[in-house]
Short mmCIF file of all heavy atoms in Angstrom, two decimals:
data_model
loop_
_atom_site.label_atom_id
_atom_site.label_comp_id
_atom_site.label_asym_id
_atom_site.label_seq_id
_atom_site.Cartn_x
_atom_site.Cartn_y
_atom_site.Cartn_z
N VAL A 1 5.58 -10.08 -12.28
CA VAL A 1 6.20 -8.94 -12.96
C VAL A 1 7.54 -8.59 -12.34
O VAL A 1 8.36 -7.88 -12.94
CB VAL A 1 5.25 -7.71 -12.89
CG1 VAL A 1 5.80 -6.55 -13.72
CG2 VAL A 1 3.86 -8.07 -13.37
N THR A 2 7.79 -9.07 -11.13
CA THR A 2 8.95 -8.64 -10.34
C THR A 2 10.14 -9.57 -10.56
O THR A 2 10.17 -10.69 -10.05
CB THR A 2 8.58 -8.60 -8.84
OG1 THR A 2 7.40 -7.84 -8.68
CG2 THR A 2 9.70 -7.98 -8.03
N THR A 3 11.12 -9.10 -11.32
CA THR A 3 12.34 -9.89 -11.56
C THR A 3 13.45 -9.42 -10.63
O THR A 3 13.48 -8.26 -10.21
CB THR A 3 12.80 -9.73 -13.03
OG1 THR A 3 12.95 -8.34 -13.32
CG2 THR A 3 11.77 -10.33 -13.98
N PRO A 4 14.38 -10.31 -10.28
CA PRO A 4 15.47 -9.95 -9.37
C PRO A 4 16.29 -8.76 -9.88
O PRO A 4 16.74 -8.75 -11.02
CB PRO A 4 16.32 -11.23 -9.32
CG PRO A 4 15.37 -12.33 -9.67
CD PRO A 4 14.42 -11.73 -10.66
N GLY A 5 16.42 -7.76 -9.02
CA GLY A 5 17.23 -6.60 -9.35
C GLY A 5 16.61 -5.70 -10.41
O GLY A 5 17.30 -4.81 -10.93
N GLY A 6 15.32 -5.90 -10.74
CA GLY A 6 14.70 -5.15 -11.81
C GLY A 6 14.07 -3.84 -11.35
O GLY A 6 14.09 -3.49 -10.17
N CYS A 7 13.49 -3.13 -12.33
CA CYS A 7 12.88 -1.83 -12.03
C CYS A 7 11.60 -1.98 -11.21
O CYS A 7 11.25 -1.09 -10.42
CB CYS A 7 12.61 -1.07 -13.32
SG CYS A 7 11.51 -1.90 -14.47
N THR A 8 10.88 -3.12 -11.36
CA THR A 8 9.61 -3.30 -10.64
C THR A 8 9.86 -3.39 -9.14
O THR A 8 9.16 -2.74 -8.35
CB THR A 8 8.88 -4.55 -11.13
OG1 THR A 8 8.66 -4.45 -12.54
CG2 THR A 8 7.53 -4.69 -10.44
N ILE A 9 10.83 -4.18 -8.72
CA ILE A 9 11.08 -4.32 -7.28
C ILE A 9 11.59 -3.00 -6.71
O ILE A 9 11.30 -2.66 -5.55
CB ILE A 9 12.08 -5.47 -7.00
CG1 ILE A 9 12.16 -5.75 -5.48
CG2 ILE A 9 13.46 -5.18 -7.58
CD1 ILE A 9 10.86 -6.19 -4.87
N ALA A 10 12.33 -2.24 -7.51
CA ALA A 10 12.80 -0.94 -7.03
C ALA A 10 11.62 -0.01 -6.78
O ALA A 10 11.54 0.69 -5.75
CB ALA A 10 13.74 -0.31 -8.07
N GLY A 11 10.65 -0.02 -7.69
CA GLY A 11 9.46 0.80 -7.50
C GLY A 11 8.60 0.31 -6.35
O GLY A 11 8.05 1.11 -5.58
N LEU A 12 8.48 -1.02 -6.22
CA LEU A 12 7.68 -1.59 -5.13
C LEU A 12 8.24 -1.21 -3.77
O LEU A 12 7.48 -0.90 -2.83
CB LEU A 12 7.61 -3.12 -5.27
CG LEU A 12 6.68 -3.66 -6.35
CD1 LEU A 12 6.89 -5.15 -6.54
CD2 LEU A 12 5.22 -3.37 -6.01
N LEU A 13 9.55 -1.24 -3.63
CA LEU A 13 10.16 -0.88 -2.35
C LEU A 13 9.88 0.58 -2.01
O LEU A 13 9.68 0.93 -0.84
CB LEU A 13 11.67 -1.14 -2.39
CG LEU A 13 12.07 -2.62 -2.33
CD1 LEU A 13 13.58 -2.77 -2.45
CD2 LEU A 13 11.59 -3.28 -1.05
N THR A 14 9.84 1.43 -3.02
CA THR A 14 9.51 2.84 -2.79
C THR A 14 8.06 2.96 -2.29
O THR A 14 7.77 3.74 -1.38
CB THR A 14 9.69 3.65 -4.08
OG1 THR A 14 11.05 3.55 -4.51
CG2 THR A 14 9.34 5.12 -3.85
N LEU A 15 7.15 2.19 -2.89
CA LEU A 15 5.76 2.19 -2.45
C LEU A 15 5.64 1.69 -1.02
O LEU A 15 4.86 2.22 -0.22
CB LEU A 15 4.90 1.33 -3.38
CG LEU A 15 4.71 1.87 -4.81
CD1 LEU A 15 3.99 0.83 -5.67
CD2 LEU A 15 3.92 3.17 -4.78
N GLU A 16 6.41 0.66 -0.68
CA GLU A 16 6.39 0.13 0.68
C GLU A 16 6.95 1.17 1.66
O GLU A 16 6.45 1.31 2.78
CB GLU A 16 7.19 -1.17 0.77
CG GLU A 16 6.62 -2.34 -0.04
CD GLU A 16 5.32 -2.88 0.54
OE1 GLU A 16 4.78 -2.34 1.52
OE2 GLU A 16 4.81 -3.88 -0.01
N ASP A 17 7.98 1.89 1.25
CA ASP A 17 8.52 2.96 2.10
C ASP A 17 7.45 4.01 2.38
O ASP A 17 7.40 4.59 3.48
CB ASP A 17 9.73 3.63 1.41
CG ASP A 17 10.96 2.73 1.39
OD1 ASP A 17 10.99 1.75 2.15
OD2 ASP A 17 11.87 3.01 0.57
N GLY A 18 6.61 4.26 1.40
CA GLY A 18 5.53 5.25 1.56
C GLY A 18 4.29 4.69 2.22
O GLY A 18 3.28 5.40 2.33
N ARG A 19 4.34 3.45 2.64
CA ARG A 19 3.23 2.79 3.34
C ARG A 19 1.93 2.81 2.52
O ARG A 19 0.84 2.97 3.05
CB ARG A 19 3.01 3.44 4.71
CG ARG A 19 4.22 3.38 5.63
CD ARG A 19 4.01 4.14 6.91
NE ARG A 19 2.93 3.57 7.70
CZ ARG A 19 2.46 4.10 8.83
NH1 ARG A 19 2.98 5.24 9.29
NH2 ARG A 19 1.49 3.52 9.50
N VAL A 20 2.07 2.65 1.22
CA VAL A 20 0.90 2.69 0.34
C VAL A 20 -0.07 1.57 0.67
O VAL A 20 -1.29 1.77 0.72
CB VAL A 20 1.34 2.61 -1.15
CG1 VAL A 20 0.12 2.40 -2.04
CG2 VAL A 20 2.08 3.87 -1.53
N ARG A 21 0.46 0.38 0.93
CA ARG A 21 -0.39 -0.78 1.20
C ARG A 21 -1.24 -0.55 2.45
O ARG A 21 -2.47 -0.70 2.42
CB ARG A 21 0.49 -2.02 1.39
CG ARG A 21 -0.28 -3.31 1.65
CD ARG A 21 0.65 -4.36 2.23
NE ARG A 21 1.81 -4.62 1.37
CZ ARG A 21 1.88 -5.62 0.51
NH1 ARG A 21 0.87 -6.47 0.39
NH2 ARG A 21 2.95 -5.80 -0.23
N SER A 22 -0.62 -0.16 3.56
CA SER A 22 -1.37 0.02 4.80
C SER A 22 -2.28 1.25 4.74
O SER A 22 -3.38 1.26 5.30
CB SER A 22 -0.43 0.13 6.00
OG SER A 22 0.43 1.25 5.88
N THR A 23 -1.83 2.29 4.03
CA THR A 23 -2.65 3.49 3.90
C THR A 23 -3.93 3.19 3.14
O THR A 23 -5.02 3.65 3.53
CB THR A 23 -1.87 4.61 3.19
OG1 THR A 23 -0.69 4.92 3.94
CG2 THR A 23 -2.71 5.86 3.04
N MET A 24 -3.83 2.41 2.08
CA MET A 24 -5.03 2.05 1.31
C MET A 24 -5.97 1.18 2.14
O MET A 24 -7.20 1.38 2.13
CB MET A 24 -4.62 1.32 0.03
CG MET A 24 -5.78 1.01 -0.90
SD MET A 24 -6.59 2.49 -1.56
CE MET A 24 -5.37 3.04 -2.76
N ALA A 25 -5.41 0.23 2.86
CA ALA A 25 -6.24 -0.63 3.71
C ALA A 25 -6.93 0.19 4.80
O ALA A 25 -8.11 -0.03 5.12
CB ALA A 25 -5.38 -1.73 4.33
N ARG A 26 -6.20 1.14 5.39
CA ARG A 26 -6.79 2.01 6.42
C ARG A 26 -7.87 2.91 5.83
O ARG A 26 -8.86 3.24 6.50
CB ARG A 26 -5.70 2.87 7.07
CG ARG A 26 -4.73 2.09 7.95
CD ARG A 26 -5.42 1.48 9.14
NE ARG A 26 -4.45 0.86 10.04
CZ ARG A 26 -4.77 0.09 11.08
NH1 ARG A 26 -6.06 -0.16 11.32
NH2 ARG A 26 -3.85 -0.45 11.84
N ALA A 27 -7.70 3.32 4.58
CA ALA A 27 -8.72 4.14 3.93
C ALA A 27 -10.04 3.38 3.85
O ALA A 27 -11.12 3.95 4.08
CB ALA A 27 -8.26 4.55 2.53
N ILE A 28 -9.98 2.08 3.55
CA ILE A 28 -11.20 1.25 3.51
C ILE A 28 -11.80 1.16 4.91
O ILE A 28 -13.02 1.25 5.09
CB ILE A 28 -10.88 -0.16 2.98
CG1 ILE A 28 -10.27 -0.09 1.57
CG2 ILE A 28 -12.14 -1.02 2.98
CD1 ILE A 28 -11.16 0.52 0.52
N GLN A 29 -10.94 1.01 5.92
CA GLN A 29 -11.42 0.92 7.30
C GLN A 29 -12.13 2.20 7.72
O GLN A 29 -13.24 2.17 8.27
CB GLN A 29 -10.24 0.64 8.24
CG GLN A 29 -10.64 0.54 9.70
CD GLN A 29 -9.43 0.42 10.62
OE1 GLN A 29 -8.37 0.97 10.33
NE2 GLN A 29 -9.58 -0.30 11.71
N VAL A 30 -11.51 3.34 7.46
CA VAL A 30 -12.09 4.63 7.87
C VAL A 30 -13.38 4.90 7.10
O VAL A 30 -14.38 5.35 7.67
CB VAL A 30 -11.07 5.77 7.63
CG1 VAL A 30 -11.73 7.12 7.81
CG2 VAL A 30 -9.88 5.62 8.57
N ALA A 31 -13.39 4.61 5.81
CA ALA A 31 -14.60 4.83 5.01
C ALA A 31 -15.73 3.92 5.47
O ALA A 31 -16.90 4.32 5.46
CB ALA A 31 -14.29 4.59 3.53
N THR A 32 -15.40 2.70 5.88
CA THR A 32 -16.42 1.78 6.39
C THR A 32 -17.07 2.34 7.65
O THR A 32 -18.31 2.34 7.78
CB THR A 32 -15.79 0.41 6.70
OG1 THR A 32 -15.26 -0.16 5.50
CG2 THR A 32 -16.82 -0.55 7.29
N ASN A 33 -16.25 2.80 8.57
CA ASN A 33 -16.77 3.36 9.83
C ASN A 33 -17.62 4.60 9.57
O ASN A 33 -18.63 4.82 10.23
CB ASN A 33 -15.61 3.69 10.77
CG ASN A 33 -14.88 2.45 11.25
OD1 ASN A 33 -15.45 1.35 11.28
ND2 ASN A 33 -13.62 2.59 11.60
N HIS A 34 -17.21 5.39 8.60
CA HIS A 34 -17.97 6.60 8.28
C HIS A 34 -19.31 6.24 7.62
O HIS A 34 -20.34 6.87 7.90
CB HIS A 34 -17.16 7.50 7.34
CG HIS A 34 -17.75 8.85 7.14
ND1 HIS A 34 -17.68 9.84 8.09
CD2 HIS A 34 -18.47 9.37 6.10
CE1 HIS A 34 -18.30 10.93 7.65
NE2 HIS A 34 -18.79 10.66 6.45
N ALA A 35 -19.29 5.21 6.77
CA ALA A 35 -20.52 4.78 6.08
C ALA A 35 -21.58 4.34 7.07
O ALA A 35 -22.78 4.56 6.86
CB ALA A 35 -20.20 3.64 5.10
N ALA A 36 -21.14 3.75 8.18
CA ALA A 36 -22.09 3.24 9.18
C ALA A 36 -22.92 4.35 9.79
O ALA A 36 -24.06 4.11 10.24
CB ALA A 36 -21.33 2.49 10.28
#
């Protein structure tokens, strides 16, 4: 979906700035530890 200079990459960079990827992964980690 990501074309050079397009709107998708602009939005993705904003998500990366907000650490969405690592925050979601950490949410799974924390929920796993709590489930135990």
